[in-house]
Amino acid sequence: MPKDLVAASATPLVLGILSEGENYGYAILKRVNQLSSGELEWTDGMLYPLLHRLERLGYAEAAWKVPSGSRARRRKYYRITESGRQALAEQRRQWTVITGALQGLWHEMSPPPSPALLKG
């Protein structure tokens, strides 16, 4: 995926995941991978700066917690705030407009060329 497309979709993806319930970094990375059927494989270096930015903007809050279990180590859990929910609603509205426009355009276009023709 092009970096600019991944970057543009990162905030609504993470806010959407946090709207499902509080979560920690590694689980968020796995959820992104799951939602994209393996097409998006984010790294820690991409996710954590985004989570810190969402905290600075007031869209997410974080707290250190120890999960249940005797050997569990402390993790930083993130949750969406009310401001984050409002931002997510606006991002959703914007992405709905964009994807609708693209789908309308592609529907009107002729079918894409066969991958076999592109190789030739």
Side-chain angles (χ1 to χ4, degrees), residues 30-119:
K30 288 186 65 146
R31 184 72 172 126
V32 167
N33 187 274
Q34 175 192 29
L35 288 168
S36 70
S37 300
E39 292 288 320
L40 297 175
E41 293 187 30
W42 289 3
T43 62
D44 293 356
M46 183 190 165
L47 177 63
Y48 287 104
L50 174 59
L51 287 169
H52 297 153
R53 188 172 134 271
L54 294 176
E55 281 186 277
R56 281 192 311 275
L57 292 170
Y59 296 166
E61 295 175 339
W64 287 98
K65 296 183 180 184
V66 177
S68 59
S70 60
R71 293 183 178 248
R73 56 173 229 237
R74 197 169 76 131
R75 294 180 178 148
K76 194 171 189 180
Y77 282 80
Y78 296 85
R79 71 174 197 84
I80 193 169
T81 64
E82 186 54 38
S83 294
R85 288 187 192 285
Q86 292 170 6
L88 176 59
E90 178 57 20
Q91 292 252 333
R92 185 175 180 177
R93 185 195 69 73
Q94 292 171 6
W95 277 95
T96 299
V97 170
I98 292 166
T99 57
L102 286 171
Q103 287 174 347
L105 176 65
W106 291 329
H107 179 72
E108 293 174 7
M109 293 172 61
S110 61
S114 164
L117 292 175
L118 294 175
K119 290 181 184 178

Coordinates of all heavy atoms in Angstrom, one line a residue, residues 30-119:
K30 N -2.6 -6.3 15.6 CA -3.2 -7.5 15.1 C -4.6 -7.2 14.5 O -5.0 -7.8 13.5 CB -3.3 -8.5 16.2 CG -1.9 -9.1 16.6 CD -2.1 -10.2 17.6 CE -2.8 -11.3 16.9 NZ -2.5 -12.7 17.3
R31 N -5.3 -6.3 15.1 CA -6.7 -6.0 14.6 C -6.6 -5.3 13.2 O -7.4 -5.6 12.4 CB -7.4 -5.1 15.6 CG -8.9 -4.8 15.3 CD -9.8 -6.0 15.4 NE -11.1 -5.6 15.2 CZ -12.0 -6.2 14.4 NH1 -11.6 -7.2 13.7 NH2 -13.2 -5.7 14.2
V32 N -5.7 -4.4 13.1 CA -5.5 -3.8 11.8 C -5.2 -4.8 10.7 O -5.8 -4.8 9.6 CB -4.4 -2.7 11.8 CG1 -3.9 -2.3 10.4 CG2 -4.8 -1.5 12.6
N33 N -4.3 -5.7 11.0 CA -3.9 -6.8 10.1 C -5.1 -7.7 9.8 O -5.4 -8.0 8.6 CB -2.8 -7.7 10.7 CG -2.3 -8.7 9.7 OD1 -2.8 -9.8 9.6 ND2 -1.2 -8.3 9.0
Q34 N -5.9 -8.0 10.8 CA -7.1 -8.8 10.6 C -8.2 -8.1 9.7 O -8.7 -8.6 8.8 CB -7.8 -9.1 11.9 CG -9.1 -9.9 11.9 CD -9.8 -9.9 13.2 OE1 -9.7 -9.0 14.0 NE2 -10.6 -11.0 13.4
L35 N -8.4 -6.8 10.0 CA -9.4 -6.0 9.3 C -9.0 -5.9 7.8 O -9.9 -5.8 6.9 CB -9.6 -4.7 9.9 CG -10.3 -4.6 11.2 CD1 -10.2 -3.3 11.9 CD2 -11.8 -5.0 11.0
S36 N -7.7 -5.9 7.5 CA -7.2 -5.7 6.1 C -6.9 -7.0 5.4 O -6.3 -7.0 4.4 CB -6.0 -4.8 6.1 OG -4.9 -5.5 6.7
S37 N -7.3 -8.1 6.1 CA -7.0 -9.4 5.5 C -5.5 -9.6 5.2 O -5.1 -10.2 4.2 CB -7.8 -9.7 4.2 OG -9.2 -9.6 4.5
G38 N -4.7 -9.0 6.1 CA -3.3 -9.2 6.0 C -2.6 -8.2 5.0 O -1.4 -8.2 4.9
E39 N -3.4 -7.3 4.4 CA -2.8 -6.3 3.5 C -2.0 -5.2 4.2 O -1.1 -4.6 3.6 CB -3.9 -5.7 2.6 CG -4.5 -6.7 1.6 CD -3.6 -7.0 0.5 OE1 -2.9 -6.2 0.0 OE2 -3.6 -8.2 0.1
L40 N -2.4 -4.9 5.4 CA -1.8 -3.8 6.2 C -1.0 -4.5 7.3 O -1.6 -5.1 8.2 CB -2.8 -2.8 6.7 CG -3.6 -2.0 5.7 CD1 -4.6 -1.1 6.4 CD2 -2.7 -1.1 4.9
E41 N 0.3 -4.3 7.3 CA 1.1 -4.9 8.4 C 1.9 -3.7 9.0 O 3.0 -3.4 8.6 CB 2.1 -5.9 7.8 CG 1.3 -7.2 7.4 CD 2.3 -8.3 7.0 OE1 3.4 -8.4 7.6 OE2 1.9 -9.1 6.1
W42 N 1.2 -3.0 9.9 CA 1.8 -1.9 10.6 C 2.9 -2.4 11.5 O 2.9 -3.5 12.0 CB 0.8 -1.1 11.4 CG -0.2 -0.4 10.6 CD1 -0.3 -0.4 9.2 CD2 -1.3 0.4 11.1 NE1 -1.4 0.4 8.8 CE2 -2.0 0.9 10.0 CE3 -1.7 0.8 12.3 CZ2 -3.1 1.7 10.1 CZ3 -2.7 1.6 12.5 CH2 -3.4 2.1 11.4
T43 N 3.8 -1.4 11.8 CA 4.9 -1.7 12.8 C 4.7 -0.8 14.1 O 3.9 0.1 14.0 CB 6.3 -1.3 12.2 OG1 6.3 0.1 11.9 CG2 6.6 -2.1 10.9
D44 N 5.4 -1.2 15.1 CA 5.3 -0.3 16.3 C 5.7 1.1 16.0 O 5.1 2.0 16.6 CB 6.3 -0.8 17.4 CG 6.0 -2.2 17.9 OD1 4.9 -2.7 17.6 OD2 6.8 -2.7 18.7
G45 N 6.7 1.3 15.1 CA 7.1 2.6 14.7 C 6.1 3.5 14.1 O 6.2 4.7 14.0
M46 N 5.1 2.9 13.5 CA 4.0 3.6 12.9 C 2.9 3.8 14.0 O 2.3 4.9 14.0 CB 3.4 2.9 11.7 CG 2.4 3.7 11.1 SD 1.5 2.8 9.8 CE 0.1 3.9 9.6
L47 N 2.5 2.8 14.7 CA 1.4 2.9 15.6 C 1.6 3.8 16.8 O 0.7 4.6 17.1 CB 1.0 1.5 16.1 CG -0.1 1.4 17.1 CD1 -1.4 1.9 16.5 CD2 -0.3 0.0 17.7
Y48 N 2.7 3.6 17.5 CA 2.9 4.4 18.8 C 2.9 5.9 18.6 O 2.3 6.6 19.4 CB 4.0 3.8 19.6 CG 3.6 2.5 20.2 CD1 4.1 1.3 19.6 CD2 2.7 2.4 21.2 CE1 3.7 0.1 20.1 CE2 2.3 1.1 21.7 CZ 2.8 0.0 21.2 OH 2.5 -1.2 21.7
P49 N 3.6 6.4 17.6 CA 3.5 7.9 17.4 C 2.1 8.3 17.1 O 1.6 9.4 17.6 CB 4.4 8.1 16.2 CG 5.4 7.0 16.2 CD 4.6 5.8 16.7
L50 N 1.3 7.5 16.4 CA -0.1 7.8 16.1 C -0.9 7.8 17.4 O -1.7 8.8 17.7 CB -0.7 6.9 15.1 CG -2.2 7.0 14.9 CD1 -2.6 8.4 14.4 CD2 -2.7 5.9 13.9
L51 N -0.7 6.8 18.3 CA -1.4 6.8 19.6 C -1.1 8.0 20.4 O -1.9 8.6 21.1 CB -1.1 5.5 20.3 CG -1.7 4.2 19.7 CD1 -1.1 2.9 20.3 CD2 -3.3 4.2 19.9
H52 N 0.2 8.3 20.4 CA 0.6 9.5 21.2 C 0.0 10.8 20.7 O -0.4 11.7 21.4 CB 2.1 9.6 21.3 CG 2.8 8.5 21.9 ND1 4.1 8.1 21.6 CD2 2.3 7.6 22.9 CE1 4.4 7.0 22.4 NE2 3.3 6.7 23.1
R53 N -0.1 10.9 19.3 CA -0.8 12.0 18.7 C -2.2 12.1 19.1 O -2.8 13.2 19.4 CB -0.6 12.0 17.2 CG -1.1 13.2 16.5 CD -0.7 13.2 15.0 NE -1.8 13.6 14.2 CZ -2.8 12.8 13.8 NH1 -2.8 11.5 14.0 NH2 -3.8 13.3 13.1
L54 N -2.9 10.9 19.1 CA -4.3 10.9 19.4 C -4.5 11.3 20.9 O -5.5 12.0 21.2 CB -4.9 9.5 19.2 CG -4.9 9.0 17.7 CD1 -5.4 7.6 17.6 CD2 -5.8 10.0 16.9
E55 N -3.6 10.9 21.8 CA -3.6 11.4 23.2 C -3.5 12.9 23.2 O -4.2 13.6 24.0 CB -2.5 10.7 24.0 CG -2.8 9.3 24.4 CD -1.7 8.8 25.3 OE1 -0.6 8.4 24.8 OE2 -1.9 8.9 26.6
R56 N -2.5 13.5 22.5 CA -2.3 14.9 22.6 C -3.5 15.7 22.1 O -3.8 16.8 22.6 CB -1.1 15.3 21.7 CG 0.3 15.1 22.4 CD 1.4 15.7 21.6 NE 1.5 15.5 20.2 CZ 2.0 14.4 19.6 NH1 2.6 13.5 20.4 NH2 2.0 14.3 18.3
L57 N -4.2 15.1 21.1 CA -5.4 15.8 20.5 C -6.6 15.6 21.4 O -7.6 16.2 21.2 CB -5.7 15.2 19.1 CG -4.7 15.5 18.0 CD1 -5.0 14.7 16.8 CD2 -4.8 17.0 17.7
G58 N -6.5 14.7 22.4 CA -7.6 14.5 23.3 C -8.6 13.4 22.8 O -9.7 13.3 23.3
Y59 N -8.2 12.7 21.7 CA -9.0 11.7 21.1 C -8.9 10.3 21.8 O -9.8 9.5 21.6 CB -8.7 11.5 19.7 CG -9.0 12.7 18.8 CD1 -8.5 12.8 17.5 CD2 -9.7 13.8 19.2 CE1 -8.7 13.9 16.7 CE2 -9.9 14.9 18.4 CZ -9.4 15.0 17.2 OH -9.6 16.1 16.4
A60 N -7.8 10.1 22.6 CA -7.6 8.9 23.3 C -7.0 9.2 24.6 O -6.3 10.2 24.8 CB -6.7 8.0 22.4
E61 N -7.2 8.3 25.5 CA -6.6 8.3 26.9 C -5.9 7.0 27.1 O -6.3 5.9 26.5 CB -7.6 8.5 28.0 CG -8.3 9.9 27.9 CD -9.4 10.0 28.9 OE1 -9.9 9.0 29.4 OE2 -9.8 11.2 29.2
A62 N -4.8 7.0 27.9 CA -4.1 5.8 28.1 C -3.9 5.6 29.6 O -3.8 6.5 30.4 CB -2.7 5.8 27.4
A63 N -3.8 4.3 30.0 CA -3.5 3.9 31.4 C -2.8 2.6 31.4 O -3.1 1.7 30.6 CB -4.8 3.8 32.2
W64 N -1.8 2.6 32.3 CA -1.1 1.3 32.5 C -1.9 0.4 33.3 O -2.4 0.8 34.4 CB 0.3 1.6 33.2 CG 1.3 2.3 32.3 CD1 1.5 3.6 32.2 CD2 2.1 1.7 31.3 NE1 2.5 3.9 31.3 CE2 2.9 2.7 30.7 CE3 2.3 0.3 30.9 CZ2 3.8 2.4 29.7 CZ3 3.2 0.1 29.9 CH2 3.9 1.1 29.3
K65 N -2.0 -0.9 32.9 CA -2.7 -1.9 33.6 C -2.0 -3.2 33.6 O -1.2 -3.5 32.6 CB -4.1 -2.1 33.0 CG -5.0 -0.9 33.1 CD -6.4 -1.2 32.5 CE -7.2 0.1 32.6 NZ -8.6 -0.1 32.2
V66 N -2.3 -4.0 34.5 CA -1.7 -5.4 34.5 C -2.9 -6.3 34.2 O -3.9 -6.4 35.0 CB -1.1 -5.8 35.9 CG1 -0.6 -7.2 35.9 CG2 0.0 -4.8 36.2
P67 N -2.8 -7.0 33.1 CA -3.9 -8.0 32.8 C -4.0 -9.1 33.8 O -3.0 -9.4 34.5 CB -3.5 -8.5 31.4 CG -2.4 -7.7 30.9 CD -1.8 -7.0 32.1
S68 N -5.1 -9.7 33.9 CA -5.3 -10.8 34.8 C -4.3 -12.0 34.4 O -4.0 -12.2 33.2 CB -6.7 -11.3 34.9 OG -7.1 -11.7 33.6
G69 N -3.8 -12.7 35.4 CA -2.9 -13.8 35.2 C -1.6 -13.5 35.9 O -1.1 -12.4 36.0
S70 N -1.1 -14.5 36.5 CA 0.1 -14.3 37.4 C 1.4 -13.9 36.7 O 2.2 -13.2 37.2 CB 0.4 -15.6 38.2 OG 0.6 -16.6 37.3
R71 N 1.5 -14.2 35.4 CA 2.8 -13.9 34.7 C 2.6 -12.7 33.7 O 3.5 -12.4 33.0 CB 3.2 -15.1 33.9 CG 3.7 -16.2 34.8 CD 4.2 -17.4 33.9 NE 4.7 -18.4 34.8 CZ 5.9 -18.8 34.9 NH1 6.9 -18.2 34.2 NH2 6.3 -19.7 35.7
A72 N 1.4 -12.1 33.7 CA 1.1 -11.0 32.8 C 2.0 -9.8 33.2 O 2.2 -9.5 34.4 CB -0.3 -10.7 32.8
R73 N 2.5 -9.1 32.2 CA 3.2 -7.9 32.4 C 2.3 -6.7 32.2 O 1.3 -6.8 31.4 CB 4.5 -7.9 31.7 CG 4.3 -8.0 30.2 CD 5.7 -7.7 29.5 NE 5.5 -6.8 28.5 CZ 5.8 -7.0 27.2 NH1 6.3 -8.1 26.8 NH2 5.5 -6.1 26.3
R74 N 2.7 -5.6 32.7 CA 2.0 -4.4 32.6 C 1.9 -3.9 31.1 O 2.9 -4.0 30.4 CB 2.7 -3.3 33.4 CG 2.0 -2.1 33.8 CD 2.7 -1.3 34.8 NE 3.8 -0.6 34.2 CZ 4.1 0.6 34.4 NH1 3.4 1.4 35.2 NH2 5.1 1.2 33.9
R75 N 0.8 -3.4 30.7 CA 0.6 -2.9 29.4 C -0.1 -1.6 29.4 O -0.9 -1.3 30.3 CB -0.3 -3.9 28.6 CG 0.3 -5.2 28.3 CD -0.7 -6.0 27.5 NE -0.1 -7.3 27.2 CZ -0.8 -8.4 27.1 NH1 -2.1 -8.4 27.2 NH2 -0.2 -9.6 26.8
K76 N 0.1 -0.8 28.4 CA -0.6 0.5 28.3 C -1.8 0.3 27.4 O -1.7 0.0 26.3 CB 0.4 1.6 27.7 CG -0.1 3.0 27.8 CD 1.0 4.0 27.4 CE 0.6 5.4 27.7 NZ 1.7 6.3 27.3
Y77 N -2.9 0.5 28.1 CA -4.2 0.4 27.4 C -4.7 1.8 26.9 O -4.7 2.7 27.7 CB -5.3 -0.3 28.3 CG -5.1 -1.8 28.4 CD1 -4.1 -2.3 29.2 CD2 -5.9 -2.6 27.6 CE1 -4.0 -3.7 29.3 CE2 -5.7 -4.0 27.7 CZ -4.8 -4.5 28.5 OH -4.6 -5.9 28.6
Y78 N -5.3 1.8 25.7 CA -5.8 3.1 25.2 C -7.3 2.9 25.0 O -7.8 1.8 24.7 CB -5.2 3.3 23.8 CG -3.7 3.5 23.8 CD1 -2.8 2.5 23.8 CD2 -3.2 4.8 23.9 CE1 -1.5 2.7 23.9 CE2 -1.8 5.0 24.0 CZ -1.0 3.9 24.0 OH 0.4 4.1 24.1
R79 N -8.0 4.0 25.3 CA -9.4 4.1 25.1 C -9.8 5.4 24.4 O -9.1 6.4 24.5 CB -10.2 3.9 26.4 CG -10.1 5.0 27.3 CD -11.1 4.8 28.5 NE -11.3 6.1 29.2 CZ -12.2 7.0 28.9 NH1 -13.0 6.7 27.9 NH2 -12.4 8.1 29.5
I80 N -10.9 5.3 23.6 CA -11.4 6.5 22.9 C -12.1 7.4 23.8 O -12.8 7.0 24.8 CB -12.2 6.1 21.7 CG1 -12.5 7.3 20.7 CG2 -13.5 5.5 22.1 CD1 -13.1 6.9 19.4
T81 N -12.0 8.7 23.6 CA -12.7 9.7 24.4 C -13.9 10.2 23.7 O -14.1 9.8 22.5 CB -11.8 10.9 24.7 OG1 -11.5 11.6 23.5 CG2 -10.5 10.5 25.5
E82 N -14.7 11.0 24.3 CA -15.9 11.6 23.6 C -15.4 12.5 22.4 O -16.0 12.4 21.3 CB -16.7 12.4 24.6 CG -18.0 12.9 23.9 CD -18.9 11.8 23.3 OE1 -19.0 10.7 23.9 OE2 -19.5 12.1 22.2
S83 N -14.3 13.2 22.6 CA -13.8 14.0 21.5 C -13.3 13.1 20.3 O -13.5 13.4 19.2 CB -12.6 14.8 21.9 OG -13.0 15.8 22.8
G84 N -12.8 11.9 20.7 CA -12.3 10.9 19.7 C -13.5 10.3 19.0 O -13.4 10.1 17.8
R85 N -14.6 10.1 19.7 CA -15.8 9.6 19.0 C -16.4 10.6 18.0 O -16.8 10.3 16.9 CB -16.9 9.3 20.0 CG -16.6 8.0 20.8 CD -17.7 7.6 21.8 NE -17.3 6.6 22.7 CZ -17.0 5.3 22.4 NH1 -17.2 4.9 21.1 NH2 -16.6 4.5 23.3
Q86 N -16.3 11.9 18.4 CA -16.8 12.9 17.5 C -15.9 13.0 16.2 O -16.3 13.2 15.1 CB -16.8 14.3 18.2 CG -17.9 14.3 19.2 CD -17.8 15.6 20.1 OE1 -17.0 16.5 19.9 NE2 -18.7 15.6 21.1
A87 N -14.6 12.9 16.5 CA -13.6 13.0 15.4 C -13.8 11.7 14.5 O -13.7 11.9 13.2 CB -12.2 13.0 15.9
L88 N -14.0 10.6 15.1 CA -14.3 9.4 14.3 C -15.5 9.5 13.4 O -15.6 9.1 12.3 CB -14.4 8.2 15.2 CG -14.8 6.8 14.5 CD1 -13.7 6.5 13.5 CD2 -14.9 5.7 15.6
A89 N -16.6 10.1 14.0 CA -17.8 10.3 13.2 C -17.6 11.2 12.0 O -18.1 10.9 10.9 CB -18.9 10.9 14.1
E90 N -16.8 12.3 12.2 CA -16.5 13.1 11.1 C -15.6 12.4 10.1 O -15.8 12.6 8.9 CB -15.8 14.4 11.6 CG -15.4 15.4 10.5 CD -16.5 15.8 9.6 OE1 -17.7 15.7 9.9 OE2 -16.2 16.3 8.5
Q91 N -14.6 11.7 10.5 CA -13.7 10.9 9.6 C -14.5 9.9 8.8 O -14.3 9.7 7.6 CB -12.6 10.2 10.4 CG -11.6 11.1 11.0 CD -10.3 11.1 10.3 OE1 -9.9 10.1 9.7 NE2 -9.6 12.2 10.4
R92 N -15.5 9.3 9.5 CA -16.3 8.3 8.8 C -17.2 9.0 7.7 O -17.3 8.5 6.6 CB -17.2 7.6 9.8 CG -18.1 6.5 9.3 CD -18.8 5.8 10.3 NE -19.6 4.7 9.7 CZ -20.4 3.9 10.4 NH1 -20.4 4.0 11.7 NH2 -21.1 3.0 9.8
R93 N -17.7 10.1 8.0 CA -18.5 10.9 7.1 C -17.6 11.2 5.8 O -18.0 11.0 4.7 CB -19.0 12.2 7.7 CG -20.0 13.0 6.7 CD -20.2 14.4 7.2 NE -19.0 15.2 7.1 CZ -18.5 15.7 6.0 NH1 -19.1 15.4 4.8 NH2 -17.4 16.5 6.0
Q94 N -16.4 11.7 6.1 CA -15.5 12.1 5.0 C -15.1 10.9 4.1 O -15.1 10.9 2.9 CB -14.2 12.7 5.5 CG -14.5 14.1 6.2 CD -13.3 14.6 6.9 OE1 -12.2 14.1 6.9 NE2 -13.5 15.8 7.6
W95 N -14.8 9.8 4.8 CA -14.4 8.6 4.0 C -15.6 8.0 3.3 O -15.4 7.4 2.2 CB -13.8 7.5 5.0 CG -12.3 7.8 5.2 CD1 -11.8 8.5 6.3 CD2 -11.2 7.4 4.4 NE1 -10.4 8.6 6.1 CE2 -10.0 7.9 5.0 CE3 -11.1 6.8 3.2 CZ2 -8.8 7.8 4.4 CZ3 -9.9 6.6 2.6 CH2 -8.7 7.1 3.2
T96 N -16.8 8.1 3.8 CA -17.9 7.6 3.1 C -18.1 8.4 1.8 O -18.4 7.8 0.7 CB -19.2 7.8 4.0 OG1 -19.0 6.9 5.1 CG2 -20.5 7.3 3.3
V97 N -17.9 9.7 1.8 CA -18.0 10.5 0.6 C -16.9 10.1 -0.4 O -17.2 9.9 -1.6 CB -17.8 12.0 1.0 CG1 -17.7 12.9 -0.3 CG2 -19.0 12.5 1.8
I98 N -15.7 10.0 0.1 CA -14.6 9.6 -0.8 C -14.8 8.2 -1.4 O -14.7 8.1 -2.6 CB -13.2 9.7 0.0 CG1 -12.9 11.1 0.3 CG2 -12.1 9.0 -0.9 CD1 -11.8 11.3 1.3
T99 N -15.1 7.2 -0.6 CA -15.3 5.9 -1.2 C -16.5 5.8 -2.1 O -16.5 5.1 -3.1 CB -15.4 4.8 0.0 OG1 -16.4 5.1 0.8 CG2 -14.1 4.7 0.7
G100 N -17.5 6.5 -1.7 CA -18.7 6.6 -2.6 C -18.4 7.2 -4.0 O -18.8 6.6 -5.0
A101 N -17.6 8.2 -4.0 CA -17.2 8.8 -5.3 C -16.4 7.9 -6.1 O -16.6 7.7 -7.3 CB -16.5 10.1 -5.0
L102 N -15.4 7.2 -5.4 CA -14.5 6.3 -6.2 C -15.3 5.1 -6.7 O -15.2 4.7 -7.8 CB -13.4 5.8 -5.2 CG -12.3 6.8 -5.0 CD1 -11.4 6.3 -3.9 CD2 -11.5 7.1 -6.2
Q103 N -16.2 4.6 -5.9 CA -17.1 3.4 -6.3 C -17.9 3.8 -7.5 O -18.1 3.1 -8.4 CB -17.9 2.9 -5.2 CG -17.0 2.1 -4.2 CD -17.8 1.7 -2.9 OE1 -18.9 2.1 -2.7 NE2 -17.2 0.8 -2.1
G104 N -18.5 5.0 -7.4 CA -19.3 5.5 -8.5 C -18.5 5.6 -9.8 O -18.9 5.2 -10.9
L105 N -17.3 6.2 -9.7 CA -16.4 6.3 -10.9 C -16.1 4.9 -11.4 O -16.2 4.7 -12.6 CB -15.2 7.1 -10.5 CG -14.1 7.2 -11.6 CD1 -14.7 8.1 -12.7 CD2 -12.9 7.9 -11.0
W106 N -15.6 4.0 -10.6 CA -15.2 2.7 -11.0 C -16.3 1.9 -11.6 O -16.1 1.1 -12.5 CB -14.5 2.0 -9.9 CG -13.2 2.6 -9.5 CD1 -12.3 3.3 -10.3 CD2 -12.6 2.6 -8.2 NE1 -11.2 3.7 -9.6 CE2 -11.4 3.3 -8.3 CE3 -12.9 2.1 -7.0 CZ2 -10.5 3.5 -7.3 CZ3 -12.1 2.3 -5.9 CH2 -10.9 3.0 -6.0
H107 N -17.5 2.1 -11.1 CA -18.7 1.4 -11.6 C -19.0 1.9 -13.1 O -19.4 1.0 -13.9 CB -19.9 1.7 -10.7 CG -21.1 1.0 -11.2 ND1 -21.3 -0.4 -11.1 CD2 -22.3 1.5 -11.8 CE1 -22.5 -0.7 -11.7 NE2 -23.1 0.4 -12.1
E108 N -18.7 3.1 -13.4 CA -19.0 3.7 -14.7 C -17.9 3.3 -15.7 O -18.1 3.4 -16.9 CB -19.1 5.2 -14.6 CG -20.3 5.7 -13.9 CD -20.4 7.2 -13.7 OE1 -19.5 7.9 -14.2 OE2 -21.3 7.6 -13.0
M109 N -16.7 3.0 -15.2 CA -15.6 2.6 -16.0 C -15.7 1.2 -16.6 O -16.4 0.4 -16.1 CB -14.2 2.7 -15.3 CG -13.9 4.1 -14.8 SD -12.5 4.2 -13.7 CE -11.2 3.5 -14.7
S110 N -15.0 1.0 -17.7 CA -15.0 -0.4 -18.2 C -14.2 -1.3 -17.2 O -13.5 -0.8 -16.3 CB -14.2 -0.4 -19.5 OG -12.9 0.1 -19.4
P111 N -14.5 -2.6 -17.3 CA -13.8 -3.5 -16.3 C -12.3 -3.3 -16.4 O -11.7 -3.0 -17.5 CB -14.2 -4.9 -16.8 CG -15.3 -4.7 -17.8 CD -15.3 -3.3 -18.3
P112 N -11.6 -3.6 -15.3 CA -10.2 -3.4 -15.3 C -9.5 -4.5 -16.2 O -10.1 -5.6 -16.4 CB -9.8 -3.7 -13.8 CG -10.9 -4.4 -13.2 CD -12.1 -4.0 -14.0
P113 N -8.4 -4.2 -16.7 CA -7.7 -5.2 -17.6 C -7.4 -6.5 -16.8 O -7.1 -6.4 -15.6 CB -6.5 -4.5 -18.1 CG -6.3 -3.3 -17.2 CD -7.6 -3.0 -16.6
S114 N -7.3 -7.6 -17.4 CA -7.0 -8.8 -16.8 C -5.5 -8.8 -16.4 O -4.7 -8.3 -17.1 CB -7.2 -10.0 -17.8 OG -6.5 -11.1 -17.4
P115 N -5.2 -9.3 -15.2 CA -3.7 -9.4 -14.8 C -2.9 -10.1 -15.8 O -1.7 -9.7 -16.0 CB -3.8 -10.2 -13.4 CG -5.2 -10.0 -12.9 CD -6.0 -9.9 -14.2
A116 N -3.4 -11.1 -16.5 CA -2.6 -11.8 -17.5 C -2.2 -10.8 -18.7 O -1.1 -10.9 -19.2 CB -3.4 -12.9 -18.1
L117 N -3.1 -9.9 -19.0 CA -2.8 -8.9 -20.1 C -1.7 -7.9 -19.6 O -0.9 -7.4 -20.5 CB -4.0 -8.1 -20.5 CG -5.1 -9.0 -21.2 CD1 -6.4 -8.1 -21.5 CD2 -4.6 -9.5 -22.5
L118 N -1.7 -7.6 -18.4 CA -0.7 -6.6 -17.8 C 0.7 -7.2 -17.8 O 1.7 -6.4 -17.9 CB -1.1 -6.2 -16.4 CG -2.4 -5.4 -16.3 CD1 -2.7 -5.1 -14.9 CD2 -2.3 -4.1 -17.1
K119 N 0.8 -8.5 -17.7 CA 2.1 -9.1 -17.7 C 2.8 -9.2 -19.0 O 4.0 -9.2 -19.1 CB 2.0 -10.6 -17.1 CG 1.7 -10.6 -15.7 CD 1.6 -12.1 -15.2 CE 1.2 -12.1 -13.8 NZ 1.0 -13.5 -13.3

